Amino acid sequence: MPLKLSLKPGETFVVNGAVVRNGDRRGVLLLENQARVLREKDILRPNEATTPVRRVYFAIMQMYLLGEIDGSAYTQAAEAIATLLSTVAHEDERAGILEISADVAAADLYRALSRCRKIMTAETAGRS
């Protein structure tokens, strides 16, 4: 089943590490096989990785975009997850972080990113 991306004019996305920008009109892109895709709204820049959960997200995002599931990228993600775990006191929050860790260990990086986004949204809502 293909992945269908509906793109806004000028929207940027990444496919297997290549940065692609849509033209000046709405567009639809169908990806017929497996690919590592992130939309512009889901891309975190290095200077935006300012909290423990954002550092976890950034490390996992790097793994995902580069297609690396081990080595230094994995080490960086594991260290960021350990740091995040040390900052959390509530058991339900710890359980969510452990799920992210399990996703990373299983190389299910897109799911790990999705779980991180939920925590980042809650973190942002808590500050408001």
Side-chain angles (χ1 to χ4, degrees), residues 6-106:
S6 297
L7 303 166
K8 299 175 188 171
E11 184 174 6
T12 301
F13 58 101
V14 177
V15 179
N16 291 345
V19 178
V20 182
R21 182 176 305 275
N22 190 31
D24 57 357
R25 291 185 232 151
R26 292 189 66 80
V28 175
L29 181 70
L30 295 173
L31 298 172
E32 295 289 341
N33 60 349
Q34 291 289 338
R36 296 179 313 275
V37 178
L38 274 185
R39 296 175 85 95
E40 184 173 13
K41 67 179 183 169
D42 295 326
I43 296 171
L44 189 69
R45 287 155 183 79
N47 64 327
E48 298 170 329
T50 56
T51 66
V53 69
R54 288 175 174 271
R55 285 188 280 280
V56 168
Y57 185 90
F58 185 77
I60 296 169
M61 182 189 75
Q62 291 294 99
M63 289 178 66
Y64 178 72
L65 291 176
L66 297 171
E68 294 181 10
I69 57 171
D70 57 10
S72 63
Y74 180 84
T75 300
Q76 182 182 8
E79 288 171 355
I81 291 169
T83 299
L84 178 59
L85 268 173
S86 72
T87 67
V88 175
H90 292 69
E91 193 58 38
D92 56 336
E93 292 173 336
R94 291 180 67 79
I97 296 164
L98 291 174
E99 288 175 340
I100 292 168
S101 181
D103 290 338
V104 170

Side-chain angles (χ1 to χ4, degrees), residues 44 48 50-51 53-54 93 116-128:
L44 189 69
E48 298 170 329
T50 56
T51 66
V53 69
R54 288 175 174 271
E93 292 173 336
C116 281
R117 279 193 294 274
K118 289 178 185 175
I119 295 172
M120 288 167 42
T121 300
E123 176 184 65
T124 303
R127 290 185 188 166
S128 301

